Amino acid sequence: MSQQHPATVSVFASPESWIESDALAQCHQVAALDGMTHVAAMPDLHPGKGAPIGAAMASTVLYPFLVGSDIGCGIAVFPIKLKRAVPEKLAARFPDLDRALDPEQDADDPAWDVFQGEVPAGYVQGLGTVGRGNHFVELARIGTVFEPDHASRLGLAADDLVLIVHSGSRGLGEQILRAHTAVHGAGPAPDPSAYLAMHDDAVRWGSLNRRLMAARVAHALGAEPAEPLIDQCHNLVEVRDGGYLHRKGAAPGDGRDVLIAGTRGTFSYIVAAHAGPDAGHSVAHGAGRKMSRADALRRGRVKHRVEELRRTPLGSLVVCGDRQLLFEEAPTAYKRIEQVISDLVGHGLATPVATTVPLVTYKTADLGSAPPADRRRRRGRP
């Protein structure tokens, strides 16, 4: 049954924030779908494939395409203890997070110790890998602490080291969305409980994958793996208030601690989120793109040299063997994280707790700087 009026759309950004008209148009297109009740756009809003990224969308109908293919994508923060954090030395010791951990062939890898039980959905492809796009694993230190008591409750203080892991369900989420769109396109889930069962597996898989990667990096850097201090998923659907709250690039903001990612050349922010129903109980998940990948690649090749993009203005290093990805993910392709945080604070959605300052950001393996033993192992694999 079609509804009479489209859903309400609220944009939680200040006039100083640059919000693309295409992204706003997508919000209004989503608002016109059957069953939609409210669309909350975050200050990192930007256009996505068919649906906006940086939005929380409430509906009486479940739409899988509003969550997208990377179900369970999120950001986790892990404490890590190292004697000395010299970026040049540590960058060379990062493991190859494009090489999956095979449960049988790599059964003796100590990273498995962080996981007990069965792999969700029995999906073993891509375990322990970061993926491409805006995904990353970063060694960072805690910078400015705005709320010492809150930081202390998280077990954090200035200059502590953390691992930040941003990744999702890899091929599993894509498989789930494809199975739906092949039959129903952008239409609703005919059996919401069946979709939710698969969706929940992908969310668990994404969380497990972040833990495995953090453990792989900790072991490679000579540290002991630890439990995450924060692990919030920003691509998911939640059953709430008798309906479905779809989040696409929006982190749960109802009393949670969230890391809102900047870029590899800027700070990120740990915030205490306290967003209500008008904001879809959500906060931004990052700085948000201001350039498409094609634009970033075209402009970046004119403006930057590859060597410049491997060391940031903060003095941190970027591990990335893919030149195209270096340009596509250049800090200039993103909005200013400070403006995003300012908008969240201005709308009463979040309180900054601390900044994190990147030391080493891993995007994809750089064969040229990998330890010799790791290079040999890679050559022997297909």
Side-chain angles (χ1 to χ4, degrees):
M1 186 176 73
S2 292
Q3 58 185 27
Q4 300 270 316
H5 304 288
T8 49
V9 176
S10 299
V11 182
F12 292 86
S14 62
E16 292 78 32
S17 285
W18 186 78
I19 303 284
E20 215 172 318
S21 58
D22 285 356
L24 289 173
Q26 284 187 336
C27 288
H28 288 282
Q29 286 160 12
V30 168
L33 293 171
D34 283 355
M36 295 304 298
T37 54
H38 184 56
V39 176
M42 298 293 117
D44 61 336
L45 184 77
H46 55 287
K49 289 179 183 172
I53 299 169
M57 299 155 280
S59 175
T60 58
V61 176
L62 199 170
Y63 290 97
F65 91 100
L66 293 182
V67 178
S69 61
D70 200 7
I71 305 163
C73 186
I75 296 178
V77 180
F78 302 79
I80 183 168
K81 294 206 179 325
L82 299 171
K83 285 178 182 167
R84 292 187 66 223
V86 180
E88 289 78 4
K89 290 186 178 174
L90 295 174
R93 291 172 61 185
F94 263 64
D96 178 358
L97 298 177
D98 292 340
R99 189 185 76 82
L101 282 182
D102 185 281
E104 292 179 6
Q105 292 176 26
D106 301 305
D108 58 347
D109 193 301
W112 290 115
D113 294 346
V114 301
F115 173 61
Q116 305 294 324
E118 299 296 312
V119 175
Y123 189 82
V124 297
Q125 291 167 261
L127 271 171
T129 62
V130 67
R132 293 295 174 96
N134 63 351
H135 294 165
F136 65 85
V137 177
E138 183 168 278
L139 176 69
R141 66 175 177 80
I142 301 296
T144 305
V145 176
F146 305 106
E147 298 285 338
D149 289 348
H150 196 113
S152 179
R153 285 199 297 277
L154 281 168
L156 294 173
D159 292 326
D160 282 356
L161 298 178
V162 290
L163 279 176
I164 301 167
V165 183
H166 175 200
S167 189
S169 57
R170 308 292 284 112
L172 178 58
E174 190 175 355
Q175 190 174 284
I176 293 166
L177 183 67
R178 274 190 185 164
H180 172 82
T181 55
V183 182
H184 307 286
D191 183 347
S193 60
Y195 171 81
L196 285 170
M198 294 184 289
H199 161 283
D200 292 352
D201 275 341
V203 170
R204 284 192 292 271
W205 199 100
S207 184
L208 162 64
N209 198 40
R210 291 188 283 278
R211 286 174 181 236
L212 280 174
M213 279 190 278
R216 293 182 80 176
V217 174
H219 284 301
L221 300 185
E224 279 301 310
E227 287 289 300
L229 306 173
I230 293 168
D231 187 7
Q232 293 300 338
C233 169
H234 51 241
N235 283 5
L236 77 165
V237 63
E238 182 184 325
V239 179
R240 188 173 193 130
D241 303 326
Y244 302 101
L245 179 60
H246 310 76
R247 290 189 176 100
K248 180 74 184 285
D254 45 357
R256 322 281 183 99
D257 295 314
V258 177
L259 182 125
I260 301 179
T263 70
R264 65 194 187 213
T266 60
F267 302 153
S268 294
Y269 284 75
I270 294 172
V271 304
H274 32 77
D278 284 356
H281 306 280
S282 302
V283 292
H285 79 310
R289 293 193 77 90
K290 69 177 181 187
M291 277 184 223
S292 69
R293 294 186 180 281
D295 282 350
L297 186 60
R298 191 180 67 247
R299 294 183 194 187
R301 282 178 166 157
V302 173
K303 194 172 178 183
H304 303 293
R305 288 179 300 115
V306 169
E307 291 70 26
E308 289 172 38
L309 296 175
R310 293 187 192 276
R311 184 179 286 276
T312 76
L314 296 175
S316 62
L317 296 181
V318 181
V319 179
C320 183
D322 182 335
R323 288 175 173 237
Q324 181 170 322
L325 191 62
L326 270 172
F327 288 113
E328 290 176 349
E329 289 292 306
T332 49
Y334 284 82
K335 302 181 188 190
R336 286 182 62 248
I337 185 63
E338 293 80 10
Q339 185 64 57
V340 170
I341 300 299
S342 171
D343 286 0
L344 293 174
V345 171
H347 284 93
L349 305 187
T351 301
V353 174
T355 60
T356 66
V357 185
L359 297 173
V360 178
T361 306
Y362 177 101
K363 295 293 291 179
T364 185
D366 184 355
L367 297 177
S369 63
D374 219 28
R375 279 209 298 273
R376 272 200 306 275
R377 185 170 61 198
R378 275 189 215 120
R379 276 203 298 270
R381 288 192 172 256

